[in-house]
Amino acid sequence: MRKQVIAYLHSHWDREWYREFEIFRMRLVRVFDRVLDMLENNKIPCFYFDGQVSALEDYLEIRPENTNLVKKLIYAKKLFIGPFYCLTDEFLTDKTCFAKNLEIGMKKAIDYGCVDFIGYFADTFGHSQNVVDIARDFGIDKFIVWRGCGDFPAEFKWCGADTVNLVRGYFQDVFSLNCTIEEKAQIVKKNLDLISEKSGLYVLYPIGADHLGIPEDIKDQISAVNELLKDDYNIKLSSPFEYFKNVSANFDEFEFNEELRDNSKTFTLQGCYSSRLDLKRYNIQCSYMLDLASRYVSFCKANNRYDSIIEYAYKMLIRNQAHDSISGCSTDDVHRENITRYKKILQIAYTIIDELKLETQFEEKMVINLSDKFYSGIVEFESAKSQEGYEKFQYREGFEWNLLADTQRIPITEDYKRIYTYLAEISNVEPNETEFIMPEISESDLKITETSIENSNISLKIIDNKIYINLIPFSIVDFADLGDSYNNAPKPDDKGETFKILRTKIIFKSSCRAVLKIDFEGVWDVIPLFITLDKNSRYLKFEFDWNNTQMNHLLEACFELPTKIHAVYSEDMNILIKRLFDPNYDIRKNLPNEKGKEVKTNTAPMQRGLLIDEKENNLGIITKGLTQYEVYKNKLYIPILRSTGMISNPKNSARTTPAGPPIETPELQMIGKNKAEFYVFFGNETAFDEVMSQVYNYIIT
């Protein structure tokens, strides 16, 4: 039976990737100039602009004279934009940022006149199950996905929403190829046959690719191909919305209610979650600080003055969360620009807080709890004056915040001072309340030696030159990595090198805090680890700060649990989800040799933390920018550095087909200064929530 093919014209637009943003934008102007001309002159019926508004904004900054034409075409339902501001990675984006992405994107799209929206995820590296509920809050109930689907039909219910699986992906550039129409018809038929196996009477067929323009003679080409395929298919240029309308009865035939991370059919490129971990650290910090600044603005009832600057900062952050940006799989120049944007976001967030502190006459030793929970614990505050009764922790050289925020004063040389950080204790500060910090109010439960720190909740001890956290062995292990920005490629026989403890020393000791420094020695570098424990705290804070000198390796923190790990609860869109693992699976024994395959892994992404809570195994980790973990037997690995040097290595043993161009990226080797920070605790989901609220607190001092 002849099938009806609904084909939609599109161009998947990465703002930056193997070329830098402004270069791609100049290409965008050329591509979209032609698209607008073709739409206006009825050479094509409609164009789907990749589900994001940022590309349109980028275009109209250069071509503002085309704004009215864009609005006219959107109103006529010839041009479809939104709902997202930018197509972001779903596993490296928290719930607040993902909702902001939709909020800003839909507001912009509606302003331009668009009223039809699909949750369009053409090229993100797998799909979070939690995005459906967030999008549903914005009235979006239809989705298009690709990467991460297993052997699925073309239409299915995903977490309750009507969803289309792009069986052959969005990348269909056949009509732009330099070959005969007969050869094009053969290629089109091959792809349509494969899609048709998973479809009913209607087939959805994307026409377009990354940064690709529309051929001027696209209508004539389709007519010619239709004539050659008339016994099997009829291709009609339309939009995805018509396809959803025609297949509405099919979605209930198959249902899937979990995340989409299966890489048996398409690459999901899981090594991205540990590429360029400096980007991940900045991303987490910016997400947190913008949220904190926003809460403070609301607390001070200053929304009208700060709404536009906060939206400006969120737009910068969301652009940085585009999958080729936050994933760390672009050129070195792209990622330098990412870091510049991150720094600008932090400048805005900190300045908002300082301005409001000055305006509200914020005093030293004052604390505001901007969370929705009571807060107790050790806090830090700064002062250039001596503060009797408080523990002095560290200092910096610089200007006091109130001087820099005051528009009626200019700092002079004499204002550049030594500013100390003091430690203080607060207890049960109510949500959205202001209190003054008082000197220590409870007895210390810290016990400190040169080889151990512990309190009544948790302990770290060095016994026979090995580290134990509540009797759980901890180590640092280094493996070779012959991969690229997309995939870790291990050596088949690599057992890893475990770093040895070179020396230990207590570098800070007080009644409320202890800091133990451990220097680890490998064959190439000494890596210092600073472990902090506060009195009454449930967690240990781990901070690595070192210079990496080596290339092509994977450095991991390793926790050795009593029994094999079968399940991990990890954070996804601010919710803990359960992932199951085969603890005996060994990636090194399963490297692919068939073309077009990507190795299955026992790694997974996380946002800010994970929890192992099964029988004898009990461990929680909260991180600040470490966004991947791996399970093998009874060991949990957290990558603290992944060092490779190419966007896509054609010799990557973990993936037998390139995932991008083989562009060398020396800075991906992460030579030089590196940091890593995470927090270790034991307990259940309640403990996870408690420690998370301590680590990511909404306290202003």
Side-chain angles (χ1 to χ4, degrees), residues 38-83:
M38 295 176 79
L39 288 170
E40 189 177 23
N41 292 290
N42 296 313
K43 293 181 180 179
I44 54 175
C46 57
F47 182 79
Y48 192 81
F49 207 177
D50 207 31
Q52 55 181 331
V53 178
S54 60
L56 179 60
E57 270 197 352
D58 294 338
Y59 172 81
L60 290 176
E61 281 185 2
I62 306 299
R63 293 276 195 266
E65 66 273 16
N66 286 340
T67 301
N68 288 335
L69 173 59
V70 164
K71 288 182 176 180
K72 183 179 82 171
L73 293 170
I74 290 171
Y75 182 78
K77 297 195 175 183
K78 290 186 171 185
L79 177 63
F80 296 96
I81 63 172

Side-chain angles (χ1 to χ4, degrees), residues 314-352:
Y314 266 115
K315 285 167 70 173
M316 268 199 290
L317 178 55
I318 292 163
R319 291 185 195 119
N320 265 7
Q321 292 173 342
H323 62 280
D324 288 314
S325 302
I326 185 59
S327 292
C329 54
S330 302
T331 68
D332 289 339
D333 282 345
V334 164
H335 293 307
R336 282 192 219 110
E337 189 170 355
N338 291 151
I339 288 176
T340 298
R341 288 189 206 127
Y342 281 130
K343 289 179 178 179
K344 288 181 177 183
I345 294 160
L346 292 175
Q347 291 161 12
I348 290 168
Y350 283 116
T351 301
I352 288 171

Side-chain angles (χ1 to χ4, degrees), residues 549-575:
T549 64
Q550 301 298 303
M551 298 188 293
N552 301 310
H553 69 116
L554 173 67
L555 192 63
E556 300 194 276
C558 175
F559 299 86
E560 192 171 344
L561 295 167
T563 61
K564 290 181 179 179
I565 303 167
H566 295 88
V568 177
Y569 297 83
S570 47
E571 194 188 42
D572 178 87
M573 294 291 171
N574 301 72
I575 298 171

Side-chain angles (χ1 to χ4, degrees), residues 104-120:
I104 295 169
M106 288 192 72
K107 182 177 74 173
K108 300 288 182 187
I110 291 168
D111 284 347
Y112 283 112
C114 193
V115 294
D116 302 293
F117 299 110
I118 294 168
Y120 187 73

